[in-house]
């Protein structure tokens, strides 16, 4: 491709709304251009990389995941969303329209419903399963605050695969095949991916795995074990860690005490810091007690006397408490992770109780809530009491200090299991950098992550609500189980740029570079034109995607554009160097002089080696 | 690909709503499946052909039309449609939605606005022009009555190119390059295309050309000259033909008469047939006079005395008459084409006047309207009076018979130009099969056509309304001119099937066949399996897209499926024929026996020859 036939549209400065590197560089290089809020057009330069990325996904999903491409419509009848029940639950992020026949239509935010409806039609027998389809297609989510360019846009391209399987074993096979394909895809893109497993991935369970990249603007906080042989990585909302010992300020472990609880007057002691000063002791010796308001808990609280007045709603899907409370006990140097707490309480949400609620439950204000006196189920973190596999419990703290349930007083010589009994023992601590890996004991580090892909065992959610059945091997009607597999295509492209750039611009990996080589004559004239044309034609005939900058621009402008655009290799043809030309990989600081008549062969070899390395 | 890894979903019968061959076959073969009214999913078999078709368009638009692929969003802000003025004029076929910020959004029915807005951004100088972009992307039109499957669906794929050019000469070059690409595309698809030019295509004019295929369910009636060296083809709404002589029942041409008009009492003579009987004469001797109600005519009628009471609205874009009338005179054996009439009257619409209006204009009822007495501008078809290039007029009928303007009476010895004077001479006749080509005199035939593509010079319509300017060579601000180029991708795929099928199913052209060769072992077992596998593997390694039917089905089922799906070549491996196998092109009735170990090479040669022929 010659520059004179292409559309180069570079900007010296990115618009001020662009704050992250990929957004800035995509606008500056002319990869995307804004059409509306959260709506980005890919310009021809961007389409070239985008199509290569799509093709890599396509190849791996075809070959490694054994999937077949299909193409449902982008606009789908609201009817199928009503069938699945998500017409209501998807909320305002779903863009809806009414057609001229007053029928509800949806601009697809995802395609579980469409896939399920399509495969349901024509499904009779287990012999037809599994059905493993994917598409790479337009999606739309009406993000309330689109930002970071295509990283979080409203319209986006998603590669979304779906499998319908006869049984859990088959779903497990599909899931594993996709997992393998994901690793291949991200490897080929040169992206260092962090796979985050939601659980142990037990067969047929609600297995799921997120594929993250480190990113300062990531939505998720990740806890990662640095030992490569271990590879533990988890979202902070689910991360676990090894127990650590509760040591006092002298590094000593307290023994179980026989001393009875003793009340200590603690005027003006409200915070943990106040306690540290007052008691001259490490917070690892304190039990922190926090009252939480719990929304829609499905936990059975009937054995807890405090819960007897709380309303319990009976439903076919299970009973639940619309509103309940819990008193959480945790070692005072640790924080409660509300996502883990909600999960332990089988609740849709947990919120710190307000002053009035605290006083009602604890009989005192915040800071004096007491483990012994609180009138709510005690949810005790493993740092205080640990549940053993055999059903017994072990106190992890001894001779501790805690709130008294009376304003202005704390208590000491508190013995867990003697002075209070947990309603529930659970791991609800927020795991942090420095905590130890539960698998190998490595020291965790923490990072922000951006989710590029997600694989998920859906189970019977859609086949049940949308009434899909097949005849199994025994001739009995059964509901298939399902899996879904998504990759955010635009976000992946942006992440590649986010991870591969310098102050001059983008440094594309060879597999998704818009062009593989650029030939830049200092002036497109005379001998320089002749040499540049020859290298260009030779590379073209060798199947290399080469860009010839034949513009009548100053060399500085051409260099700056080629570096901004990020073509992985530049061959510069300048009069003073002839019969040599400059050979400069974008990722390297220094150029090398090579004889002009060897440049094309050397460039082709460079391109092929890079491709081979990434695609290996 | 092996059948066991693919998704074959064939139907013995098509759903009753499918009435045309392509719709029936696409459903039966498992190419598409309905998701909603006018919404069709492509199943994996369909995606394979669809992608090939898209790739052919992409190649030709890249190479032949010099276009660059871009990708605007499918969902676009209503704002840009308001800028262009089409927010109102597109009507209910445009699907609109409001996002959570209460902004109007549009599901793109076409992309002139998006293209114009995108290219406007960043356009400064003539040096940046032309900008030649295309996309192959989802579109949506809320068809009131979707039917014929993907032939007229609501969501569809359109390949749409747009050029922005500095001047008419550049637009002409872009237009011609696309025209060439269109011919290449349809040739490669094996589609016999009828190019229909809207006008002479004068440079910078409102040139447009439709690419049609013959189809019994076509929306358009085409008038075609059979002489290949001529190639004249036109939509009946615009077709012209050679003048033919007005001959009487004895085949004689009437001479100009000196006889004065004579009134003849014609009781019970209302129709042309009645006149033929009553006067015992050919209808070519009669002048038919019809009163039309004319809506929004921009013709200047101020010189016509009858028009003086009609309201004329003054507007910056030009004056017009919201309601006016015309009396159309035409030889009685011919019909008025209302599209041509509206065009001649510069009107948005013409409708036959009702009885009351006729009586008001003509002083008599329908059947007795008289050319001499009608109180409306006379629009005279070329069959009655012809306008010459030098501004003079020639009477094409003499001594004619016409209505008298009095119920129950006709008049004879009518002499055009003596007895009445045209307000406007125009070609308003409906051209029919048997009429003569205006270029070469060939005898027209008529057929129904379906529009697959359209190229169109838009001129300044969008650049003016959306305020796009650039600095021209002289440093002056100028508005670019534009062209647009569209291909209905789904409709083209359906048309290929419509033109290539038999009672057994589809007969794909090699260029868009989902698979090029299928290998069908009578039983996938023993020696047959061994031979089939070997042919399959050999073809695969030769880059041939081969399908191995390894299903455990009766041979009849496998044959029927392969024929329905339409794979261009079948190799059948049966025990009784070994060491030979059957070699059967789908388009041929008879199979041929070839040695098994030569089958793969012969099949590959067949595929390559077919591809070479179509892609030549």
């Amino acid at each position: 491709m010659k520059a004179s036939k292409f559309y180069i549209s570079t900007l010296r400065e990115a618009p001020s709304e662009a704050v992250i590197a990929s957004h800035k560089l995509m606008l500056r290089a002319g990869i995307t251009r804004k059409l509306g809020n959260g709506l980005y057009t890919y310009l021809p330069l961007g389409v070239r990389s985008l199509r290569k990325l799509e093709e890599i996904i396509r190849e791996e999903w075809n070959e490694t995941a054994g999937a077949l491409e299909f193409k449902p419509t982008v606009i789908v009848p609201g009817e199928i969303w009503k069938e699945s029940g998500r017409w209501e639950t998807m909320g305002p992020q779903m863009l809806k329209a009414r057609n001229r026949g007053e029928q509800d239509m949806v601009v697809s935010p995802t395609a579980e419903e469409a896939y399920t409806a399509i495969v349901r039609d024509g499904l009779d027998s287990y012999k037809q399963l599994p059905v493993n389809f994917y598409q790479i297609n337009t999606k739309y989510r009406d993000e309330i605050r689109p930002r970071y360019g295509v990283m979080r846009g409203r319209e986006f391209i998603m590669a979304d695969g779906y499998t319908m399987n006869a049984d859990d074993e088959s779903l497990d096979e599909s899931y594993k095949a996709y997992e393998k394909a994901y690793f291949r895809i991200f490897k080929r893109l040169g992206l260092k991916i962090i796979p985050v497993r939601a659980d142990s991935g037990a067969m047929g369970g609600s297995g799921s795995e997120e594929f993250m990249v480190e990113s300062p603007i990531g939505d998720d906080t990740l806890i990662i074990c640095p030992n490569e042989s271990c590879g533990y990585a988890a979202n902070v909302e689910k991360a676990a860690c090894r127990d650590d010992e509760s040591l006092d300020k002298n590094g000593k472990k307290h023994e179980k005490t026989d001393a009875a609880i003793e009340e200590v007057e603690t005027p003006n002691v409200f915070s943990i810091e106040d306690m540290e000063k007052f008691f001259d002791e490490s917070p690892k010796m304190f039990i922190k007690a926090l009252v939480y308001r719990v929304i829609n808990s499905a936990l059975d609280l009937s054995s807890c006397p405090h819960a007897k007045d709380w309303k319990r709603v009976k439903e076919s899907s299970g009973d639940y408490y619309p509103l309940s409370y819990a008193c959480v006990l945790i070692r005072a140097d640790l924080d409660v992770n509300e996502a883990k707490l909600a999960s332990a309480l089988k609740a849709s949400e947990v919120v710190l109780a307000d002053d009035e609620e605290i006083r009602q439950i604890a009989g005192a204000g915040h800071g004096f809530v007491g483990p012994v006196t609180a009138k709510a189920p005690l949810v005790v973190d493993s740092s205080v009491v640990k549940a053993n596999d055999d059903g017994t419990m072990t106190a992890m703290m001894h001779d501790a200090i805690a709130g008294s349930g009376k304003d202005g007083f704390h208590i000491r010589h508190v013995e867990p299991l003697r002075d209070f009994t947990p309603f529930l023992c659970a791991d609800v601590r927020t795991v942090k950098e420095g905590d130890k890996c539960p698998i190998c004991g490595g020291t965790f580090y923490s990072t922000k992550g951006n989710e590029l892909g997600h694989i998920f065992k859906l189970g019977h959610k859609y086949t049940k609500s949308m009434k899909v059945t097949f005849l199994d091997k025994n001739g009995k009607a059964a509901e298939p189980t399902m899996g879904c597999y998504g990759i955010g295509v635009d976000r992946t492209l942006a992440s590649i740029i986010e991870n591969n750039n310098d102050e001059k611009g983008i440094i594309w990996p060879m597999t998704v570079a818009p062009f593989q080589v650029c030939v830049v004559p200092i002036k497109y004239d005379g001998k320089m034109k002749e040499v540049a044309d020859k290298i260009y034609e030779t590379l073209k005939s060798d199947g290399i995607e080469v860009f010839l900058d034949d513009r009548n621009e100053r060399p500085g402008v051409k260099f700056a554009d080629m570096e901004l655009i990020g073509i992985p290799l530049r061959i510069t043809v300048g009069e003073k160097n002839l019969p040599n030309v400059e050979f400069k990989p974008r990722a390297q600081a220094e150029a090398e002089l090579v004889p002009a008549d060897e440049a094309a062969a050397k460039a082709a070899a460079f391109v092929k080696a890079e491709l081979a390395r990434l695609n290996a």
Side-chain angles (χ1 to χ4, degrees), chain A:
Chain A
M1 179 63 72
K2 293 184 178 177
S4 55
K5 300 283 177 197
F6 200 66
Y7 184 78
I8 294 192
S9 180
T10 52
L11 301 174
R12 219 158 292 178
E13 299 288 337
S16 59
E17 68 176 276
V19 291
I20 65 167
S22 61
H23 189 192
K24 283 181 188 169
L25 288 169
M26 287 176 108
L27 293 174
R28 285 189 55 209
I31 288 171
T32 52
R33 187 170 283 169
K34 191 174 178 180
L35 185 58
N37 197 7
L39 300 174
Y40 289 86
T41 297
Y42 283 86
L43 294 173
L45 189 72
V47 168
R48 293 182 71 97
S49 294
L50 185 67
R51 294 281 177 257
K52 287 187 177 187
L53 169 50
E54 289 177 351
E55 202 51 32
I56 287 172
I57 296 173
R58 198 169 268 127
E59 283 172 19
E60 294 299 335
W61 283 12
N62 286 344
E63 295 302 319
T64 311
L68 301 169
E69 188 174 359
F70 80 140
K71 198 190 84 62
T73 50
V74 174
I75 309 298
V76 299
E79 201 48 51
I80 56 176
W81 288 81
K82 290 173 187 171
E83 272 191 68
S84 76
R86 289 208 292 180
W87 175 257
E88 296 299 336
T89 57
M90 281 295 280
Q93 68 172 315
M94 193 153 85
L95 192 68
K96 299 170 179 174
R98 305 208 92 187
N99 72 9
R100 64 200 293 163
E102 290 299 312
Q103 289 159 317
D104 286 313
M105 306 303 283
V106 169
V107 185
S108 299
T110 170
E112 283 81 3
E113 281 79 359
Y115 168 83
T116 308
I118 289 158
V119 177
R120 172 177 62 183
D121 200 4
L123 177 65
D124 305 307
S125 155
Y126 72 94
K127 289 182 193 165
Q128 297 165 280
L129 296 175
V131 176
N132 183 352
F133 286 176
Y134 74 94
Q135 63 174 328
I136 303 180
N137 209 346
T138 299
K139 300 283 185 305
Y140 189 93
R141 281 185 201 168
D142 212 20
E143 288 277 349
I144 197 160
R145 201 155 63 93
R147 56 191 164 142
Y148 303 145
V150 300
M151 195 73 96
R152 202 169 306 153
R154 282 182 168 153
E155 181 171 318
F156 56 99
I157 304 165
M158 192 155 120
D160 43 333
Y162 305 88
T163 59
M164 201 175 273
N165 304 75
D167 53 38
D168 290 345
E169 197 174 338
S170 162
L171 174 57
D172 212 48
E173 275 170 28
S174 295
Y175 184 91
K176 289 208 171 100
Y178 270 99
E179 186 184 43
K180 195 171 161 199
Y182 273 62
F183 283 111
R184 290 273 316 141
I185 290 164
F186 294 117
K187 184 192 171 299
R188 292 178 64 182
L189 300 175
L191 274 174
K192 195 172 171 295
I193 210 83
I194 304 165
V196 175
R197 289 187 186 82
D199 62 16
S200 62
M203 201 173 77
S206 59
S208 90
E209 184 168 354
E210 293 169 333
F211 295 84
M212 305 284 229
V213 280
E214 276 196 50
S215 162
I217 54 130
D219 294 321
D220 298 270
T221 300
L222 305 182
I223 299 296
I224 300 170
C225 174
N227 291 341
E228 285 196 15
S229 62
C230 171
Y232 181 93
N235 200 306
V236 71
E237 297 192 349
K238 291 186 170 165
C241 66
R242 276 208 183 162
D243 300 326
D244 52 350
E245 289 196 325
S246 171
L247 304 177
D248 70 13
K249 64 169 180 174
N250 303 315
K252 268 186 57 188
K253 205 177 152 185
H254 282 199
E255 294 299 319
K256 192 171 176 179
T257 182
D258 290 330
I261 282 178
E262 177 191 329
E263 212 171 71
V264 183
E265 190 167 2
T266 50
N268 301 319
V269 171
F270 297 99
S271 67
I272 302 296
E273 291 71 34
D274 296 340
M275 286 175 73
E276 286 185 61
K277 275 188 209 149
F278 185 91
F279 290 105
D280 185 25
E281 187 47 277
S282 158
K284 293 196 177 188
M285 292 294 112
F286 309 151
I287 296 172
K288 180 160 66 177
L290 297 163
V291 179
Y292 275 90
R293 185 190 314 144
V294 182
I295 311 299
N296 298 334
S297 168
L299 210 63
D300 182 359
L301 305 176
S302 57
S303 65
C304 174
H306 308 300
K308 67 178 190 300
D309 293 335
W310 297 338
K311 186 180 165 197
R312 190 173 185 187
V313 175
K314 289 192 180 296
E315 270 200 9
S316 62
S317 55
D319 302 348
Y320 70 98
Y321 295 84
L323 176 66
S324 61
Y325 292 90
C327 180
V328 178
L329 307 184
I330 191 167
R331 212 175 65 202
D333 62 318
L334 304 177
D335 294 317
V336 172
N337 184 291
E338 295 181 355
K340 287 166 79 174
L341 177 61
S343 170
L345 289 166
K346 301 180 183 174
S348 60
E349 201 184 350
V350 296
V351 193
L352 270 176
D354 62 24
D355 289 346
E356 194 180 328
E357 290 168 319
I358 292 172
R359 199 157 285 281
Q360 207 174 334
I361 298 289
H366 184 73
F368 300 98
V369 178
V372 182
T373 49
K375 290 180 180 137
L378 292 182
V379 177
V380 183
D381 181 61
S382 322
S383 58
V384 180
V385 177
K386 196 167 165 65
N388 302 312
D389 288 344
D390 62 3
T392 61
M393 289 185 280
T394 306
M396 302 297 283
M397 294 175 74
H398 293 293
D399 201 359
I401 295 169
S404 66
K406 202 160 93 182
D407 289 321
F409 291 87
H410 281 78
I411 50 179
R412 67 166 108 216
H413 307 313
V414 179
E415 267 301 319
L417 299 178
R418 178 191 77 178
D419 300 324
F420 62 84
T421 305
F423 179 76
L424 181 71
C425 289
D427 169 12
V428 299
R429 79 191 259 184
T430 296
V431 174
K432 286 197 285 271
E433 207 151 77
D435 287 340
K436 304 294 179 196
C437 175
I439 311 285
C440 74
T443 303
F444 280 147
Y445 71 95
S446 170
T447 188
K448 289 276 184 186
N450 230 337
E451 183 189 322
L452 302 186
H454 196 170
I455 61 178
F456 198 85
K457 291 184 180 174
L458 293 166
H460 299 87
K461 178 171 163 58
Y462 295 95
T463 53
K464 188 178 180 121
S465 57
M466 294 179 71
K467 300 190 175 54
V468 185
T469 55
F470 69 101
L471 292 181
D472 69 13
K473 281 181 182 164
N474 307 314
K476 279 179 61 180
E479 275 161 10
T481 183
M482 275 174 58
C484 69
Y485 318 90
I487 295 180
V489 177
D490 319 72
R491 174 177 275 208
T492 299
L493 196 68
S495 295
I496 295 169
I497 295 174
E498 202 68 38
N499 288 4
N500 296 280
N501 67 77
D502 61 15
E503 71 290 350
K504 291 175 178 169
I506 303 167
I507 306 168
W508 282 111
M510 194 62 80
T511 41
V512 282
F515 297 96
Q516 297 165 332
V517 179
C518 61
V519 178
V520 182
I522 296 294
K523 205 165 157 42
Y524 191 55
D525 197 25
K527 184 70 184 165
M528 284 183 281
K529 177 176 187 302
E530 199 180 294
V531 171
D533 281 348
K534 189 164 176 209
I535 296 172
Y536 172 72
E537 293 298 339
T538 308
L539 282 168
K540 246 178 76 166
S541 68
D542 197 15
I544 302 297
E545 295 171 16
V546 55
F547 186 84
L548 174 62
D549 197 342
D550 61 349
R551 293 177 296 168
N552 184 20
E553 294 280 2
R554 285 183 296 110
V557 169
K558 295 202 261 193
F559 291 154
D561 277 352
M562 293 305 104
E563 282 170 328
L564 173 57
I565 288 171
I567 301 177
L569 178 64
R570 187 180 76 208
I571 295 173
T572 309
V573 183
E575 198 134 44
K576 72 172 172 39
N577 285 324
L578 285 175
N580 290 322
V581 297
E582 266 186 26
F583 183 96
K584 184 178 179 303
R586 176 68 180 82
Q588 288 173 24
E590 297 302 320
E592 170 188 357
L593 284 181
V594 302
D597 54 6
E598 289 170 21
K602 192 172 156 76
F606 177 84
V607 170
K608 286 169 190 170
E610 271 299 287
L611 287 175
R613 181 181 67 79
L614 289 161
N615 290 330

